[in-house]
Amino acid sequence: MGVLSIIATVVLVLAALVLIATVLLQPGESNGLGAIAGGAETFFGKSKAKTMEGKLALATKIAAGVFIVMALLIAAIG
């Protein structure tokens, strides 16, 4: 097992843990059928990226990207 493989595995595990934590910290979307009647208008708010929910969503996307890249790298190496 090469050094690159070990480093990629450690980064993969860390990305998985960050991904799990950020998904669990996000609030649930329990709008139900209220979203059809106009409740979804708050989704397109201009200040959503500045809120904690927006930061968690960004962290989830970054962690998912790192996870996918590391998984493909490990598959290519091994």
Side-chain angles (χ1 to χ4, degrees):
M1 192 172 213
V3 175
L4 182 61
S5 178
I6 293 172
I7 292 172
T9 303
V10 169
V11 172
L12 180 73
V13 170
L14 290 175
L17 292 174
V18 169
L19 190 59
I20 290 169
T22 55
V23 167
L24 288 177
L25 287 173
Q26 290 181 11
E29 297 290 333
S30 60
N31 289 339
L33 293 177
I36 296 173
E41 292 176 10
T42 59
F43 178 76
F44 297 106
K46 292 182 180 179
S47 64
K48 181 171 180 162
K50 296 179 183 177
T51 64
M52 188 62 156
E53 181 181 345
K55 291 177 183 176
L56 282 174
L58 179 64
T60 303
K61 291 174 189 175
I62 292 171
V66 170
F67 182 84
I68 290 170
V69 168
M70 287 297 118
L72 290 174
L73 180 67
I74 290 173
I77 292 173

